[in-house]
Amino acid sequence: MSAPRRPTDPSGLERYYVLTGGRSGPVGSASSLDVATLIVARSAPVPGMQHEHEEILRRCRQPLSVAELGAHLGLPFNILAVLLADLLEADRVEARHPIPARNAGRGPDLALLEEVLSGLQRL
């Protein structure tokens, strides 16, 4: 005699709820994460760690963007951001935020912009 079949959740929402402990988004410093933020592991996975946390640490031995990490793990941004918030809080990963062009020490290349404008005007 087989056990009764439990209905499955085709949307994956039940799985996401379990992965994040019911949290819908990151809090604290992790709330500033975006898809271009680079994530770097600061430690190796430890026994007993949540599988997704282990996988993030394994994949981020070298810097990996949040977008790439989400694609590899098949997780939506907000779910991944919650998992990353856990690892950031535990100091197991480091987030390297992209540097906006205006703060990079120089402005846009005016010669390049003039060439683009000239090319557009010729169209």
Side-chain angles (χ1 to χ4, degrees), residues 15-16 35 55-56 59-60 64-81 84:
R15 174 177 173 253
Y16 297 152
V35 294
E55 195 61 30
I56 290 169
R59 290 186 182 269
C60 291
L64 195 63
S65 74
V66 173
E68 292 172 303
L69 190 56
H72 286 300
L73 298 176
L75 293 172
F77 175 79
N78 62 328
I79 302 302
L80 181 57
L84 289 171

Side-chain angles (χ1 to χ4, degrees), residues 46-93:
V46 295
M49 184 178 270
Q50 183 176 335
H51 172 73
E52 288 73 17
H53 287 151
E54 288 179 7
E55 195 61 30
I56 290 169
L57 292 176
R58 275 193 210 95
R59 290 186 182 269
C60 291
R61 289 182 186 131
Q62 298 295 318
L64 195 63
S65 74
V66 173
E68 292 172 303
L69 190 56
H72 286 300
L73 298 176
L75 293 172
F77 175 79
N78 62 328
I79 302 302
L80 181 57
V82 171
L83 297 174
L84 289 171
D86 295 341
L87 293 171
L88 283 165
E89 185 178 311
D91 205 29
R92 295 193 174 277
V93 296

